[in-house]
Amino acid sequence: MRKYLLSLSLILTLLLASCSVTLSPPTISEPTVPDTAAKYPETDSVTPTPALKKIDAHVLRVLDGDTFEVITASREKKTVRMLLIDTPESVHPSKPVMPYGKEASDFAKELLTDKDVTLEYDVGDQKDKYGRDLCYVYLLGVSVQGQLLEMGLGIISYVYEPNTTHLESFQKSQETARKTHVGVWSQDGYVLQSGNGYRYSE
């Protein structure tokens, strides 16, 4: 009987040992934080280009390829000189008509005479030494300077900071004319580089 009890006790001990389970606390992994710095790298802050002053005007008379007279909505008469470009002389009192001067003047007269335009002033000087308003000129939203440059009827000139807001765009238009050898770019040696853009050879 004693043997029997010992055997029974041993069996119960073994059963209890095999059934006992040690429960470990669950492992909680730290939440993954997305690397926003890699996805959205820091960038230098960009200062927006200030809005340029614009006025509407009516063209009264075109003097040559880059100069014309207007009257504004306030009935003020102005002489406008197009910013950043120079067309060949066609009406200079002491110089002969230059190659493509007449073509530039005729184009400007046909395009602008008796038309409503938008004049845009840059952030620097708004008048030249002759009292003419320095402006970017738009007809129906299209840059007149850009058209003259692209057709080879003008060159980038009189480049003075800070009046250079549209210089990069004008350079692209001029490069189109230079690569295709149209207008003033069709004559070797006619257009020369200068300290403030380009100039015509005398």
Side-chain angles (χ1 to χ4, degrees):
M1 182 67 176
R2 190 174 176 183
K3 268 187 186 182
Y4 173 76
L5 289 174
L6 286 171
S7 298
L8 185 59
S9 177
L10 182 60
I11 290 169
L12 287 172
T13 300
L14 290 171
L15 284 173
L16 287 172
S18 64
C19 292
S20 65
V21 178
T22 303
L23 296 177
S24 302
T27 303
I28 301 174
S29 59
E30 290 293 326
T32 302
V33 179
D35 186 2
T36 54
K39 189 173 181 182
Y40 304 105
E42 288 187 17
T43 55
D44 295 332
S45 59
V46 178
T47 303
T49 303
L52 300 181
K53 172 187 172 184
K54 295 181 181 181
I55 64 170
D56 293 326
H58 185 78
V59 178
L60 298 173
R61 182 166 72 108
V62 174
L63 303 178
D64 68 1
D66 53 37
T67 309
F68 55 95
E69 296 175 347
V70 301
I71 186 167
T72 67
S74 60
R75 309 307 295 171
E76 182 182 5
K77 289 185 178 181
K78 295 175 177 285
T79 300
V80 175
R81 176 67 165 76
M82 296 189 203
L83 258 175
L84 294 180
I85 75 163
D86 186 29
T87 60
E89 294 291 348
S90 62
V91 292
H92 196 282
S94 61
K95 292 182 181 180
V97 175
M98 298 173 70
Y100 292 97
K102 187 176 186 305
E103 288 86 343
S105 180
D106 287 348
F107 174 79
K109 286 176 180 177
E110 184 175 349
L111 185 70
L112 297 175
T113 302
D114 204 31
K115 300 290 178 54
D116 294 325
V117 296
T118 298
L119 307 177
E120 182 180 54
Y121 296 83
D122 215 325
V123 295
D125 292 337
Q126 297 189 355
K127 289 182 180 292
D128 66 8
K129 62 183 180 180
Y130 303 108
R132 301 176 298 189
D133 284 35
L134 298 170
C135 300
Y136 302 112
V137 184
Y138 301 91
L139 176 66
L140 300 175
V142 179
S143 168
V144 176
Q145 278 108 313
Q147 293 180 70
L148 285 163
L149 290 168
E150 197 163 319
M151 295 173 67
L153 298 179
I155 55 175
I156 292 174
S157 193
Y158 305 111
V159 179
Y160 298 105
E161 294 284 355
N163 283 352
T164 55
T165 298
H166 298 304
L167 178 58
E168 185 176 345
S169 172
F170 289 173
Q171 287 170 334
K172 291 177 181 177
S173 297
Q174 178 173 270
E175 187 62 11
T176 297
R178 189 188 70 79
K179 284 183 175 179
T180 53
H181 304 285
V182 297
V184 298
W185 299 97
S186 65
Q187 297 190 20
D188 291 340
Y190 184 34
V191 179
L192 306 174
Q193 278 193 295
S194 72
N196 300 104
Y198 293 81
R199 65 180 179 85
Y200 300 106
S201 61
E202 297 295 329

